[in-house]
Amino acid sequence: MTVSDNSRGLILAVASSAFIGSSFILKKKGLKRAGANGARAGFGGYAYLLEPLWWIGMMSMLVGEASNLVAYVFAPAVLVTPLGALSIIVSAVLAHFILKERLHKMGILGCVSCIVGSLVIVIHAPQEQSPSSVEEIWILAIQPAFLIYTAVAIFIVLALVLYFEPRYGHTNILVYLGICSLMGSLTVVSIKAVGIAIKLTFEGIGQMAYPHTWLFALGAVICTVTQLNYLNKALDTFNTAVVSPIYYVMFTTLTIVASAIMFKDWSGQNFNSIMSEICGFITVLSGTLLLHATREQDTSDAFPAADAGPVSWYTWKLSPDSLLKNVKDDYFVSLNCSDAT
């Protein structure tokens, strides 16, 4: 029985989500164990490096990411990218049973939405049209439509980096995530090209002698480094519960657009199939936003109440220096009041 490339890509994408979703739980479990025996990671401790469970989680994440990259070689981005939402489901369900973190009714609805949307995408996904050489991929890359997309993406990235980041980078989340998502879409198509070249080489059709292979590899490295750099800035500056859903929506949308333009994923499909994929994609996005909304709700519940005393709720949003200043101000105010009485 012959397994189609789409089926291989689907299996790898689902396996990737399972590994990545479980890795979050394993690493968090390891961090908790390490925190019980030493300084927590959030306070500068590195005891988790001696915790085997944390390393198992890290290995699980690496396997998941590798599976995801290989999935792009066998299946179109319109199939692989939205299935990344399944990792959120795996993480949420395992957290409910293993870490005893509550999964609200809205969270369950989000999980169901992700599953339903993923099934719709799988049913209507186009078949992968794998090029027979890296030269064919290069021809696809220099077609006018994709050159225009690349030029516009690079122009917007340069504008965001040179003009908007210094002025609005720390106040507008779309600056960092715009850079991440645009570069991420170019990362995916570059890695897909390199992956296809490696696949053909293993099949006996050598592609390493072509300069195009190394140009795609160089592009993949540059785009990946830039993407990760600005993603780290976004995570360091803004709340993770806000960064994750916005980044997922922007990255997934732009990746599908870039892949559809370059590899013509939707060529040969009828209007009904394309609309079904778009509806499935929107359903997955809605489920993802619901899941993250419930997580954000849980995080906000952990903050102290507004009447918690001199160190009030708003100081959680301030830097340590500001927090210390507020404590001192409250202390001196209380002294002055006691002297007046």
Side-chain angles (χ1 to χ4, degrees):
M1 181 181 175
T2 306
V3 181
S4 66
D5 282 351
N6 261 31
S7 298
R8 290 173 181 160
L10 171 62
I11 293 169
L12 286 167
V14 173
S16 168
S17 295
F19 278 112
I20 292 174
S22 59
S23 72
F24 291 126
I25 307 305
L26 291 169
K27 288 199 294 182
K28 187 164 184 177
K29 196 81 172 173
L31 288 169
K32 283 189 171 183
R33 284 186 182 179
N37 301 320
R40 293 177 57 184
F43 293 93
Y46 294 96
Y48 63 89
L49 294 176
L50 302 176
E51 180 56 52
L53 202 57
W54 185 87
W55 284 106
I56 294 173
M58 180 59 71
M59 292 302 297
S60 178
M61 175 168 280
L62 292 175
V63 170
E65 293 293 351
S67 300
N68 191 53
L69 293 178
V70 177
Y72 281 110
V73 177
F74 292 102
V78 69
L79 171 61
V80 176
T81 310
L83 292 179
L86 296 178
S87 64
I88 303 173
I89 298 176
V90 173
S91 176
V93 172
L94 290 179
H96 178 76
F97 290 104
I98 297 176
L99 300 177
K100 307 304 179 186
E101 295 180 0
R102 244 183 348 172
L103 185 60
H104 297 278
K105 291 180 181 179
M106 294 300 290
I108 296 173
L109 179 60
C111 290
V112 173
S113 298
C114 288
I115 293 171
V116 171
S118 299
L119 288 174
V120 172
I121 292 171
V122 169
I123 292 170
H124 296 278
Q127 289 296 316
E128 172 72 353
Q129 300 173 2
S130 184
S132 58
S133 71
V134 74
E135 287 183 312
E136 286 187 27
I137 306 175
W138 182 256
I139 292 172
L140 294 173
I142 60 174
Q143 61 182 316
F146 188 71
L147 286 178
I148 292 172
Y149 175 85
T150 304
V152 171
I154 292 174
F155 175 78
I156 294 174
V157 166
L158 289 175
L160 289 172
V161 171
L162 299 177
Y163 181 80
F164 289 97
E165 183 192 355
R167 293 168 175 79
Y168 310 108
H170 291 282
T171 56
N172 193 325
I173 193 173
L174 296 180
V175 174
Y176 289 143
L177 294 188
I179 299 170
C180 293
S181 303
L182 287 166
M183 297 304 289
S185 66
L186 297 176
T187 299
V188 169
V189 295
S190 300
I191 287 176
K192 184 178 177 73
V194 174
I196 291 173
I198 294 172
K199 174 191 171 188
L200 292 170
T201 300
F202 279 125
E203 291 175 352
I205 309 172
Q207 302 294 309
M208 296 301 141
Y210 293 104
H212 312 100
T213 303
W214 300 104
L215 284 174
F216 281 125
L218 178 62
V221 171
I222 294 173
C223 292
T224 301
V225 170
T226 306
Q227 177 188 0
L228 293 178
N229 177 44
Y230 282 95
L231 179 58
N232 286 333
K233 286 187 176 183
L235 290 170
D236 186 54
T237 307
F238 301 98
N239 192 327
T240 306
V242 179
V243 172
S244 297
I246 296 175
Y247 177 57
Y248 175 80
V249 171
M250 294 177 66
F251 169 74
T252 305
T253 303
L254 290 171
T255 298
I256 290 174
V257 170
S259 181
I261 293 173
M262 179 171 171
F263 293 100
K264 296 179 171 58
D265 293 334
W266 283 328
S267 63
Q269 281 200 299
N270 57 41
F271 178 77
N272 290 337
S273 295
I274 294 174
M275 289 307 298
S276 296
E277 290 167 36
I278 293 174
C279 290
F281 175 52
I282 293 173
T283 305
V284 171
L285 293 183
S286 302
T288 304
L289 293 174
L290 276 175
L291 273 169
H292 279 287
T294 55
R295 284 187 175 186
E296 187 177 5
Q297 206 173 37
D298 286 341
T299 305
S300 64
D301 290 343
F303 289 167
D307 57 353
V311 187
S312 59
W313 66 272
Y314 63 88
T315 57
W316 284 72
K317 299 290 184 183
L318 303 176
S319 65
D321 292 337
S322 300
L323 176 61
L324 182 60
K325 182 180 182 300
N326 278 319
V327 173
K328 287 180 178 178
D329 289 345
D330 287 339
Y331 174 70
F332 286 121
V333 167
S334 63
L335 281 180
N336 290 335
C337 290
S338 60
D339 292 341
T341 56

